[in-house]
Amino acid sequence: MVRTLLTAGIVVSAAAFLAATVTADDISARAKKLHFSSIVVDTHDDTTQRFLDGKFDLGPRSATGSIDIPRMKEGGLGAIFSRSGFRAR
């Protein structure tokens, strides 16, 4: 019983030590590195409906919405996939 408690104490202490040494900045930097080294695909984007307007241009930064080519490049987005709300019958 004492051995079990001692082992548990050591494990908890080691976990607390490791948690204290890993900062939010370390995690954020690792996450950013992973994100920008990956192929990122947005699989739920409603941009295609905006093309029906006739005035929407995906090229320049847009004052409305959240998807345009400058934002996609800055955010490391490799591709978008949009399923239209219209269904063929």
Side-chain angles (χ1 to χ4, degrees):
M1 179 68 166
V2 172
R3 184 176 181 182
T4 303
L5 289 174
L6 183 59
T7 302
I10 291 171
V11 169
V12 169
S13 297
F17 175 75
L18 288 175
T21 60
V22 177
T23 66
D25 289 338
D26 293 337
I27 294 170
S28 181
R30 288 175 36 213
K32 187 174 184 178
K33 181 178 178 183
L34 175 63
H35 175 81
F36 283 98
S37 66
S38 301
I39 297 172
V40 179
V41 179
D42 181 348
T43 60
H44 183 79
D45 181 44
D46 297 324
T47 301
T48 52
Q49 292 117 256
R50 300 185 73 197
F51 286 107
L52 296 175
D53 175 16
K55 297 177 185 174
F56 178 70
D57 185 358
L58 192 62
R61 182 177 294 275
S62 176
T64 61
S66 58
I67 294 289
D68 52 47
I69 291 177
R71 285 188 179 98
M72 290 171 64
K73 287 181 178 179
E74 291 167 9
L77 184 59
I80 58 175
F81 175 80
S82 180
R83 184 183 72 78
S84 173
F86 302 104
R87 294 185 183 168
R89 293 177 189 236

